[in-house]
């Protein structure tokens, strides 16, 4: 379970304070499927970065599974990130020199998991994302949809409890985007907490909980069952 | 992460831009090659000079007239210097560890045989010379151990003067004239070649007393004494000093031990080797700057990648190790290449110019490799620390 209470995040740009998050309260249960929408600059990415422990609130509280995340040091945050959180980005962020399988193996490598175990897990996520026959291909040899699926495989190979996706379909056409969303929803059905930032209302509507951010605050929090 | 993982990731980064890595490594290779080649030459020269000086043996003490002050000026100009005499040379034999002793005179004279003559160096020496200078006659024998004051007029020829005067004929028993005086040839020395430009084979050896007479000199140019193996050079010098001071009433001579001379020479040559090595080190520094530059660029280019790795759970020190590893791999490969180039170049140089003394000490080579890796570590440190210190969110945004 994730709890945010009174979270502020501001930046000082040229002597002026910019409020990216401005007093945000949010409780997320395990296994939820949440879409976050809102105008550009409303703080959606900033919220994901804070949830993913890449960034810290300037003020406020963040608890995950009862542990206060704001107290953790850099090293501890890196460990939690590696164990509990998966990221998927708009621009895939694959390492161009490494094959699909090697890109997927990276988080396991960083976490110090033994090579034999890694191979087994990489095989499994490759199969789950339908990339088994693309394992040895470099990112440049993959289509955009395959790249994003590789990124999703990489985000899930560590078996995280939370998957944070920042506009994962932003660089994909409608059909490929829909495939990627299907894949993410499949992971959610298996139990992962899915938090998805999107500009596409059609995609946003599919989530079981829809949050709308405006000026760093929650303007709407809609819990209707999705279409 | 295991060492193999680090190596694999580093290797991918190095080979992904292989031309760039190659050129960067080349900077280190050239620097390392320069250091190795120059120190090889320095060390070769060092060994060559020391070998030249020690071929007479290392247990030699020389006594010269006049006292050298620290600055090399002889105080003989101000005081009265008694010449060194044959008796002085003989007196040294009473010192227990002294095995042989002789007076030395050098001059130039016309040497005439039956049909030919030649102007050459004439050395007045004692019958102990072969022992003292480890230099034996090839034909006949050396000067006999006559009473040094009234030695018989015998002469021993160097191998070159032998050929100049007698061709291939065996000259033993032949009469020659040196500066008009008659001598009889009793031996021919083995060929020794040039030692520091002085042709040891173009010399006629005659007894010291005869040379004093011939060149009309009052005193010896030098006394050379051989002391027993294992005796302390310092003790010997002290004993000689005491003996001669007692005879002269003052210390109006200078004692030089071969050991002392070799160690002084050795340290001068070591400084020389170090200096040329440092010269090569400058190009190694340029190579290091190349690594610093390339790693700075690499960190900038891969900022988003650093952000990604952090998002995937990488610790700061893992990022640090990855970039440092890259710099060290490039530098170490460059260093290894430079080692091969430098040592190979040295061998080629030796084949091309056999007279040139080249010697690559393996400890230098190992040090060069260690130093180049260390340079990679130092040059890579600044960019790697920058990469490790990047804010993950800011890094991810960079693209
Ligand atoms: N590192 C930063 N320095 C200064 N201002 C920042 C920084 N990061 C974010 N901001 C500001 O915080 C606000 C929220 O940014 P954020 O990226 O979270 O918006 P977003 O909702 O994700 O927008 P978009 O839909 O365009 O991606 C913006 O006004 C942005 O300019
Ligand atoms: Mg955004």
């Amino acid at each position: 379970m994730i709890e945010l209470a009174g979270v502020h995040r501001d930046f000082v740009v040229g002597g002026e304070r910019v409020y990216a998050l401005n007093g945000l309260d949010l409780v997320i249960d395990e296994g939820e499927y949440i879409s976050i929408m809102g105008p550009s600059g409303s703080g959606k990415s900033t919220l994901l970065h804070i949830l993913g422990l890449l960034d810290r609130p300037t003020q406020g509280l963040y608890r995950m599974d009862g542990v206060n995340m704001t107290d953790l040091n850099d090293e501890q945050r890196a460990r939690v990130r590696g164990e509990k959180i998966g990221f998927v980005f708009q621009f895939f962020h694959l390492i161009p020199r490494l094959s699909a399988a090697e890109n997927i193996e990276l988080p396991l490598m960083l976490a110090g998991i033994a090579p034999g175990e890694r191979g087994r897990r990489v095989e499994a996520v490759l199969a789950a994302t339908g990339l088994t026959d693309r394992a040895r291909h470099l990112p440049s040899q993959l289509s955009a949809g395959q790249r994003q699926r590789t990124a999703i495989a990489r985000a899930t190979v560590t078996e995280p409890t939370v998957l944070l996706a920042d506009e994962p379909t932003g660089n994909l056409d409608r059909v490929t985007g829909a495939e990627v969303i299907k894949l993410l929803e499949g992971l959610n059905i298996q139990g992962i907490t899915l938090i998805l930032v999107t500009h596409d209302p059609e995609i946003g509507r599919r989530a079981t909980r829809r949050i709308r951010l405006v000026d760093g605050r929650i303007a709407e929090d809609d819990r209707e069952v999705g279409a | 992460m295991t060492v193999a993982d680090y190596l694999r990731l580093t290797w991918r980064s190095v080979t992904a831009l292989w031309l760039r890595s190659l050129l960067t490594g080349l900077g280190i290779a050239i620097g390392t090659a320069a250091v190795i080649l120059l120190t090889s030459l320095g060390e070769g020269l060092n060994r060559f000079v020391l070998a030249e000086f020690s071929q007479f043996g290392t247990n030699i003490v020389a006594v010269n007239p006049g006292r050298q002050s620290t600055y090399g000026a002889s105080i003989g100009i101000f005081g009265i210097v008694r010449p060194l005499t044959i008796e002085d040379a003989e007196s040294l034999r009473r010192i227990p560890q002294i095995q042989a002793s002789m007076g030395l005179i050098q001059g130039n004279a016309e040497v005439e045989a039956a049909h030919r003559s030649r102007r050459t160096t004439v050395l007045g020496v004692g019958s102990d010379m072969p022992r003292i200078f480890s230099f034996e006659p090839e034909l006949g024998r050396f000067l006999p151990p006559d009473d040094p004051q009234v030695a018989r007029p015998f002469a021993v020829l160097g191998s070159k003067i032998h050929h100049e005067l007698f061709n291939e004929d065996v000259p033993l028993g032949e009469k020659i004239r040196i500066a008009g005086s008659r001598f009889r040839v009793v031996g021919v020395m083995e060929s020794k070649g040039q030692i520091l430009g002085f042709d040891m084979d173009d010399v006629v050896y005659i007894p010291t007393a005869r040379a004093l007479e011939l060149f009309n000199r009052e005193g010896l140019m030098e006394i050379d004494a051989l002391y027993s193996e294992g005796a302390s050079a310092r003790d010997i010098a002290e004993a000689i000093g005491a003996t001669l001071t007692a005879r002269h009433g003052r210390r109006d001579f200078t004692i030089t031990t071969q050991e002392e001379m070799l160690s002084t020479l050795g340290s001068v040559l070591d400084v020389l080797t170090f200096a040329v090595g440092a010269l090569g080190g400058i190009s190694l520094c340029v190579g290091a700057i190349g690594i610093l530059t390339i790693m700075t660029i690499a960190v900038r280019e891969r900022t988003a990648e650093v952000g990604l790795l952090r998002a995937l759970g990488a610790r700061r020190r893992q990022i640090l190790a990855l970039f440092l590893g890259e710099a060290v791999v490039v530098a170490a490969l460059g260093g290894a290449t430079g080692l091969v180039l430098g040592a190979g170049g040295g061998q080629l140089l030796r084949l091309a110019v056999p007279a040139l003394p080249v010697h690559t000490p393996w400890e230098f080579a190992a040090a060069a490799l260690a130093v180049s890796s260390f340079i990679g570590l130092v040059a890579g440190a600044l960019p790697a620390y920058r990469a490790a210190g990047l804010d993950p969110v800011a890094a991810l945004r960079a693209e």
Side-chain angles (χ1 to χ4, degrees):
Chain A
M1 195 172 75
I2 287 171
E3 299 167 73
L4 296 181
V7 165
H8 289 255
R9 177 65 170 110
D10 43 46
F11 300 95
V12 180
V13 182
E16 257 188 74
R17 209 167 274 274
V18 179
Y19 297 90
L21 294 179
N22 203 355
L24 192 132
D25 303 300
L26 183 62
V27 176
I28 300 168
D29 285 323
E30 221 153 280
E32 279 202 84
Y33 175 12
I34 301 177
S35 70
I36 298 175
M37 300 188 52
S40 185
S42 56
K44 304 182 294 294
S45 296
T46 306
L47 174 59
L48 278 203
H49 292 148
I50 285 178
L51 288 172
L53 295 168
L54 284 173
D55 199 3
R56 290 169 188 257
T58 24
Q59 200 188 313
L61 196 78
Y62 174 14
R63 266 211 297 264
M64 187 194 281
D65 302 331
V67 181
N68 193 343
M69 293 290 130
T70 31
D71 290 344
L72 300 185
N73 64 26
D74 205 74
E75 177 86 19
Q76 293 165 323
R77 284 142 52 89
R79 187 176 325 120
V80 175
R81 213 151 50 218
E83 283 170 4
K84 297 195 173 176
I85 293 163
F87 277 102
V88 176
F89 303 97
Q90 180 180 356
F91 297 106
F92 321 135
H93 279 294
L94 297 172
I95 293 182
R97 325 179 271 290
L98 302 182
S99 70
E102 287 170 327
N103 266 289
I104 295 168
E105 191 187 346
L106 264 178
L108 300 176
M109 204 188 260
L110 292 167
I113 288 164
E117 168 74 4
R118 283 187 224 160
R120 200 186 56 71
R121 289 220 224 164
V122 171
E123 296 272 306
V125 289
L126 276 169
T129 49
L131 288 167
T132 305
D133 54 346
R134 293 282 179 272
R136 293 171 167 278
H137 290 220
L138 292 176
S140 59
Q141 298 161 331
L142 299 173
S143 72
Q146 288 167 337
R147 285 184 211 179
Q148 195 60 301
R149 293 206 322 254
T150 307
I152 292 168
R154 180 181 62 192
T156 53
V157 75
T158 52
E159 291 162 9
T161 53
V162 182
L163 188 58
L164 303 170
D166 196 347
E167 299 181 42
T169 58
N171 263 357
L172 303 175
D173 62 57
R174 187 154 291 277
V175 178
T176 324
E179 276 171 28
V180 164
I181 293 298
K182 283 256 167 59
L183 184 60
L184 293 172
E185 288 175 352
L187 292 163
N188 174 246
I189 287 166
Q190 288 166 35
I192 206 165
T193 308
L194 176 61
I195 303 173
L196 185 88
V197 169
T198 182
H199 278 291
D200 185 336
E202 221 169 283
I203 291 174
R205 220 177 292 133
R206 297 172 64 92
T208 51
R209 181 177 175 190
R210 298 173 291 275
I211 291 173
R212 185 168 176 80
L213 280 191
V214 177
D215 292 337
R217 279 182 230 259
I218 295 178
E220 281 173 50
D221 189 347
D222 206 353
R223 277 179 185 272
E224 281 173 319
V225 175
Chain B
M1 264 177 99
T2 65
V3 174
D5 292 331
Y6 278 113
L7 280 178
R8 187 163 61 139
L9 289 183
T10 301
W11 186 245
R12 287 300 173 82
S13 310
V14 169
T15 49
L17 293 165
W18 63 269
L19 185 62
R20 189 162 101 177
S21 304
L22 193 80
L23 292 174
T24 312
L26 195 63
I28 294 291
I30 289 171
T32 308
V35 170
I36 289 185
L37 200 59
L38 286 170
T39 49
S40 296
L41 275 170
E43 187 64 17
L45 187 72
N46 196 327
R47 289 182 173 227
F48 172 75
V49 172
L50 289 182
E52 288 283 278
F53 272 93
S54 49
Q55 42 178 296
F56 296 119
T58 46
N59 296 338
I60 301 173
V61 186
V63 183
N64 297 89
R67 187 169 166 77
Q68 298 293 133
S69 76
T70 324
Y71 299 103
S74 169
I75 63 147
I77 302 161
F78 308 108
I80 302 151
V81 173
R82 281 183 55 173
L84 289 173
T85 62
I86 293 177
E87 294 82 52
D88 286 334
E90 289 305 303
S91 73
L92 299 186
R93 289 177 188 276
R94 289 195 284 275
I95 298 169
Q97 290 100 326
I98 298 283
Q99 297 179 333
S101 172
M102 70 171 194
L104 185 84
I105 293 284
Q106 186 189 339
N108 272 294
E110 192 74 24
V111 180
E112 300 162 65
H115 307 293
R116 289 190 229 172
S117 76
R118 180 178 172 81
R119 196 167 178 80
T120 189
T121 304
V122 175
L123 283 183
V125 295
S127 59
D128 278 340
M129 191 198 82
R131 249 186 108 188
I132 298 174
F133 288 160
S134 341
F135 182 30
E136 296 295 328
E138 194 171 72
L139 289 175
R141 56 195 173 90
F142 199 69
L143 300 172
D146 289 344
D147 176 350
Q149 298 289 1
V150 288
R152 284 169 287 170
F154 290 146
V156 175
L157 304 181
S159 63
K160 183 167 182 184
I161 190 82
H162 164 216
H163 289 294
E164 291 295 333
L165 296 180
F166 297 100
N167 282 333
E168 302 306 314
D169 300 340
V170 175
L172 300 181
E174 294 288 340
K175 291 204 169 57
I176 57 171
R177 280 175 178 277
I178 301 173
S181 301
R182 290 161 147 278
F183 284 83
R184 191 202 304 231
V185 176
V186 294
V188 175
M189 296 307 284
E190 63 186 343
S191 174
K192 192 120 183 172
Q194 296 211 347
I195 291 180
L196 297 171
F198 181 76
D199 190 348
M200 296 292 286
D201 298 336
D202 198 2
V203 173
V204 176
Y205 301 90
I206 60 172
T208 312
R210 295 281 165 183
L212 277 174
E213 206 175 286
L214 210 65
F215 298 120
N216 199 18
R217 287 185 64 120
E218 239 183 289
L220 304 174
M221 291 169 70
E222 185 170 292
I223 296 173
D224 289 296
L226 179 74
Y227 58 89
S228 44
E229 197 74 44
S232 136
R234 180 186 288 250
D235 291 349
I236 296 295
E238 239 161 61
I240 291 174
T243 305
L244 293 182
T245 306
R247 289 179 57 82
H248 288 203
R250 74 178 75 181
R251 206 180 166 92
D252 54 359
F253 51 87
T254 304
I255 301 172
T256 317
T257 65
Q258 184 85 355
E259 199 177 291
E260 193 174 85
M261 198 185 72
L262 285 177
S263 86
T264 309
L265 196 66
S267 55
V268 169
L269 290 167
D270 283 347
V271 169
L272 186 81
T273 303
F274 179 79
V276 293
L279 220 60
I282 292 173
S283 52
L284 208 51
C285 284
V286 176
I289 292 170
I291 291 208
L292 177 64
T293 310
I294 284 302
M295 289 314 295
T296 305
I297 293 172
V299 169
R300 180 151 349 131
E301 284 173 346
R302 303 219 296 267
T303 296
E305 214 173 286
V306 172
L308 169 82
L309 289 172
R310 300 279 281 140
L312 297 181
R315 320 289 202 266
R316 286 188 193 278
R317 61 188 148 75
Q318 289 178 316
I319 305 284
L320 183 74
L322 280 171
F323 281 97
L324 269 185
E326 213 171 302
V328 171
V329 163
V330 170
L333 289 180
T337 311
L339 185 63
V340 173
L341 286 181
Q347 293 307 309
L348 277 182
L349 207 62
R350 193 154 71 172
L351 287 181
V353 194
L356 209 62
V358 182
H359 180 85
T360 307
W362 286 107
E363 62 269 25
F364 279 27
L369 209 57
V371 164
S372 57
S373 308
F374 181 70
I375 281 175
L377 205 63
V378 171
L382 198 71
Y385 266 102
R386 273 196 34 200
L390 284 172
D391 171 57
V393 173
L396 272 171
R397 282 169 170 263
E399 206 168 19

